[in-house]
Each structure stands twice: as structure tokens, then as C-alpha cells.
Amino acid sequence: MKILVAGWDSGGGVEAVQTVVGRAVARGHQVRVLGTEGLRSRFESAGATFLRYRYAPDNDMSKPETDLIKDWQTRNPVSQWQRVRDRQLCGPAREFCRDVSEELRREAADVVVVDTMIPAAMFGAEASGVRSVIVMHGPYMIPRPDIPPLGTGWMPGKGPLGRLRDRSAAAVTLAVFRSWMPALNRVRAEVGLPPVRGLPGLMARADRVLVCSSPSYDFGSGSVPANVRYVGPQLDDDPGEGSGEWRAGEPGQPLVLVGLSSTVMLQEGLLQRAADALGQAQVRGLVTTGPAVDPAVISAPPDVTVTRWVRHADVLPHCSAVITHGGHGTVMKALIAGVPLIVVPLGRDQPDNAGRVVYAGAGIRLRKNANVSALRVAISRVIEDPRYR
């Protein structure tokens, strides 16, 4: 097949789309990817032809100055959602649609694959009569009455009051998103497409929605629409070389991995507190800073190694615990490896992932301002209590 992908720098979510692209290429399909410039090397290394967007905005979440949304500048959830609406979902909808439409006119495709963060790119496929697939990086994110509200980190409601809470929150959230639809429907009307009423209607325009998570991890997986398929975590994380020097300290000591966001989330303070806690906890520590933080700004205690990156598949089999912000990819890799988690959500979908980890009994959750003492106690707790593993 000829596959056109509309990609987006969504931080850890890029790995899922990159993995899908790499597997499609390996099976002999011709894949070309539209994307922001910072994604070029990742998709070219997966074997795809890369084309930079001509009209859609650029976005590089690894640097403060090039992060389009800059959601870390405000702690107000309403303001954060407004930024997502104006700078990503609705504001540039016409540009995403135009990029896909023009590329399909230049060269045909059998299917268009769209990152879930830029659903307006699907309009270009729909207007061109080409089937479309949305790739969701984590659990199914459309609000439903039988799951806790998005972004809260709450557990599923129990009893009549709990169920009423979830139904009411879903209704309010969907009403807010309906208020965004006029902007998207103006773009749809310009290319001859019928209007959509809300988020469920928008997702229904896709031929398939591929949820890159496990139904047993997701809340309410039995209530998803008919076009949704759970395909499991898409993780390009095979063991290999290039993970650096991480075997520090005595081999008999437990190893604890720290992996926070690959994007800017003002995580330097938490990284330092985690390193200090590891230094007090009688463990070996491996702190990975990711591309958004210079490892040199973290002061490493004895038996704690600080590096920018390691391949999780090389390290997790040796780990006794993982401290993470709760990104879906890191959580999935730890769960697959059977390693208990300490989840410290910083924002976005991370509180929800933390809630699922706690609900499953696979780890514990701390506040993002957790101090060194709280982190040290949490490390000891998940290592010493076999129920978490």
C-alpha cells in the first residue's frame, strides 16, 4: 500500500507512530510522513520518506522556545486547554487539512494515518475520498459516562454518587468540546464536508481508531465505538547497544530507574529530588534527563548515574523500581517488564496513567512537589512490598 502519515511532535506519543511506520515499511508498504522538522530524523530512520508541512505550524517540544503550546507556562487547566484549542486542534485546522489535501493531489495514497493530536489532518483525507486511521498513543481519550473525567487521575466512581460524578463530568467535558466545533466545521464546509457535532462525531469520521494500549489497562474499554481497535502498546524498544554506562555501584544493590518527560515540563527540580532520594535509599540509581534537560544540571550522589538517555529494554530487566512522570510509553514498558512504579504526574494525561497504575496495584502515586523524604519512602515501599511487583 501507499500510506501517508500526518505526524506531530507529541512528546512520547511520537514513539507509537514511529513504531507503526517502521513496521509498515518492514512489511513492504510505501510510507511517506508529513511532519514538523524536528521529526525528520526519527521517521527517516524508520525507512519513511519525510516531507515537512508547508502550512501547518512547526513544533519542537524538547526546547522551551520552540514548544508551540507551552502548557507548562500556566497551571490553570482552563488556560492550558485554550492553548491546545487555539494553537493545535482548532487554530491551525485549515492548514493541517490543506497540507494533507495537497499532498494527496501530488501523489495518491491508499490510506492516511493521523496522529490523534491533530484530527483536522483527517479532513484532508476525507475530502479526497481516502480512508483514514487515527493513532491514539495511549488509552481511549474520548469522554464517556462510565469512566473518570479526563486529566483528573480519579478512580472509576463507585456507587450511585460516584457514577453520577462520572456521568456529569463527561457531559460537561463533551459540552465544552462542542463549543469548539464551529471552528472545525468552518474548515470542513470549505472542503465540502458535513459538520460534526462533537468529539464522538469527529472520531466517527475515521475508518479506524487504533488505541495503542491494552484494554485491561484502560477504564471502560467495553464501551468504545465500533470503529475502535485496541492494538496494544506500540513500542520501538528492542534490546541493543548504545545505552551508556549505567551499571554503577555494587551489583547486589537494587537498581532504580528515573525517567521523566522527554519534553519541557519544568522537571529539573523533581529530577534533582529523585537523585537525592536515591542517594539516601541504599540503592543504585539511574537518572535519565531526556532531551529537554542537560544532565550537567543534576548533581549526582554516590551510586547514582545521571545520563541523557538509555534504552529501556536494556535496563528494565535489571530494575527493582521505576520513578516516572507517568507518560504512557514509560508506564507500559515498566508494566511489561514487571517493574513496580512510583508515578509523579506533571500534567497532561499523566494523572490518568498514575490512577490506572494505582488501580491495578502496580505502584504508588505522589504529588509533583513530593520532597526527598517522600520519594525515599516510596522507593523503599515498592521495592520491599512484593504486592507491587
Side-chain angles (χ1 to χ4, degrees), residues 110 155 245 299 316 375:
D110 299 300
M155 304 295 180
E245 296 295 328
S299 176
L316 282 171
L375 287 162

Side-chain angles (χ1 to χ4, degrees), residues 155-215:
M155 304 295 180
K158 294 182 179 179
L161 286 179
R163 291 190 289 271
L164 176 62
R165 178 205 70 183
D166 291 347
R167 286 197 304 272
S168 302
V172 170
T173 305
L174 290 172
V176 170
F177 279 109
R178 276 198 300 274
S179 71
W180 299 7
M181 290 301 115
L184 294 178
N185 283 330
R186 283 193 291 272
V187 177
R188 291 180 62 82
E190 290 172 5
V191 293
L193 297 176
V196 292
R197 186 169 181 268
L199 271 181
L202 183 62
M203 292 295 106
R205 305 306 298 183
D207 292 271
R208 285 285 183 272
V209 177
L210 304 183
V211 180
C212 299
S213 191
S214 164

Side-chain angles (χ1 to χ4, degrees), residues 2 19 38 114 140 164 283 366:
K2 288 186 175 182
T19 301
V114 176
Y140 188 70
L164 176 62
V283 298
L366 297 178

Side-chain angles (χ1 to χ4, degrees), residues 88-107:
Q88 178 180 304
L89 288 179
C90 299
R94 180 176 291 103
E95 287 74 18
F96 283 118
C97 177
R98 185 178 180 186
D99 270 312
V100 172
S101 296
E102 290 192 5
E103 178 56 27
L104 289 172
R105 284 198 294 271
R106 189 189 70 84
E107 183 179 350

Side-chain angles (χ1 to χ4, degrees), residues 197-269:
R197 186 169 181 268
L199 271 181
L202 183 62
M203 292 295 106
R205 305 306 298 183
D207 292 271
R208 285 285 183 272
V209 177
L210 304 183
V211 180
C212 299
S213 191
S214 164
S216 63
Y217 177 77
D218 205 353
F219 295 144
S221 59
S223 63
V224 298
N227 66 337
V228 174
R229 300 289 185 275
Y230 282 87
V231 296
Q234 302 299 303
L235 305 170
D236 184 17
D237 196 43
D238 296 327
E241 297 180 357
S243 285
E245 296 295 328
W246 54 268
R247 293 178 179 84
E250 295 298 326
Q253 288 180 299
L255 176 67
V256 178
L257 171 67
V258 178
L260 302 187
S261 179
S262 60
T263 68
V264 176
M265 296 199 78
L266 306 182
Q267 62 265 49
E268 291 87 346

Side-chain angles (χ1 to χ4, degrees), residues 289-309:
T289 64
V293 177
D294 183 353
V297 306
I298 307 301
S299 176
D303 283 344
V304 176
T305 300
V306 180
T307 186
R308 193 176 293 275
W309 174 85

